[in-house]
Every structure is written in structure tokens, then in C-alpha cells.
Amino acid sequence: VRILAPGGRLAVAPAGGQWDDDDIGAVVQAMHHALRGAPVDAPPALVDAADTLGLSLVAEVATRSEVWHQSPDDQARSIESRTWSSLWDLPDDRWAAVVEPAIAALRALPAPTSPRERRTHYRVLVFERP
């Protein structure tokens, strides 16, 4: 807020994007929520924080969807390799309690080696300093 001139704008694209509903995403989102709770950069939280700082939401734009194919087993292997920074230094007890059941749930989905179409996009929020 200090660096924005009056009428200045700030665009924010929350990390992780917005996922269309799919069976892989349901498992992964539940795992992330169990590990971290609600994301601090979720759009509603950002709007509340910006309002507290005196910024107004003036626009919200969705980016074009990104589409790719991934199987539940591909996602399970990605989690096992600790691809995401949130998994890098996770204590063993949290890994066993939260991550291992998620990996098992992914591999228990129908046709776990068959790729599914997955889609994501980003909600870009534009704030303005009055």
C-alpha cells in the first residue's frame, strides 16, 4: 500500500489457481487443507486483507483455463517425490497421518493409471488505492 500512488493499482494472482472439480483434485485439496488449513492467499482472504489496508477491489479476471492429462497414479508419484515445497520438510508423523492416506486414496480411484483431463485457471484480483 505504501508504494501505490493514489489511484495506483495492484494485481494479485493467488498461488495454486482454481481447479475445476475432478476426482484427483478432491483428494489433493483435502490433503492440502488438512496440512495447512484454508490458504492465506485465497481470494476472499485477499479481499479482506486489502480492505483492511484501505485498498478496494476494482476488478477480478479469470485467466484462460490450462488443460492437461494426469492419472491418479501420476499425482501419487508426484506427491511421493515431494514435488511441492509444502511437503519438503513435513514431519514423519504428519506425512503418515495426512499424506499417506491421500496417496492411498488416489491409487484407490477407478482406473488409477488412466489419465484424466484436468483444468485450472487463475483468478487475478485488481486492487486500487483511493
Side-chain angles (χ1 to χ4, degrees), residues 70-129:
Q70 182 181 48
S71 73
D73 193 55
D74 292 335
Q75 183 66 77
R77 282 195 312 273
S78 177
I79 292 169
E80 287 171 329
S81 68
R82 297 181 186 242
T83 302
W84 302 311
S85 60
S86 61
L87 301 175
W88 292 349
D89 58 358
L90 197 64
D92 291 342
D93 60 331
R94 294 288 290 154
W95 182 271
V98 178
V99 179
E100 287 177 5
I103 291 169
L106 286 166
R107 292 200 166 117
L109 290 173
T113 60
S114 296
R116 286 114 157 96
E117 184 174 277
R118 303 197 66 209
R119 295 176 177 270
T120 189
H121 66 277
Y122 290 84
R123 288 173 57 188
V124 179
L125 306 175
V126 181
F127 299 99
E128 183 176 83
R129 181 177 177 189

Side-chain angles (χ1 to χ4, degrees), residues 1-109:
V1 173
R2 292 184 317 226
I3 64 170
L4 289 177
R9 292 189 173 188
L10 172 68
V12 180
Q18 306 293 310
W19 296 80
D20 288 358
D21 292 335
D22 65 48
D23 57 353
I24 295 171
V27 172
V28 172
Q29 293 302 322
M31 179 189 76
H32 279 298
H33 188 75
L35 289 173
R36 300 185 317 224
V40 296
D41 67 343
L46 288 172
V47 171
D48 289 345
D51 185 55
T52 300
L53 297 170
L55 297 176
S56 301
L57 179 66
V58 294
E60 184 174 335
V61 180
T63 63
R64 185 176 54 131
S65 289
E66 295 177 34
V67 179
W68 74 97
H69 293 84
Q70 182 181 48
S71 73
D73 193 55
D74 292 335
Q75 183 66 77
R77 282 195 312 273
S78 177
I79 292 169
E80 287 171 329
S81 68
R82 297 181 186 242
T83 302
W84 302 311
S85 60
S86 61
L87 301 175
W88 292 349
D89 58 358
L90 197 64
D92 291 342
D93 60 331
R94 294 288 290 154
W95 182 271
V98 178
V99 179
E100 287 177 5
I103 291 169
L106 286 166
R107 292 200 166 117
L109 290 173

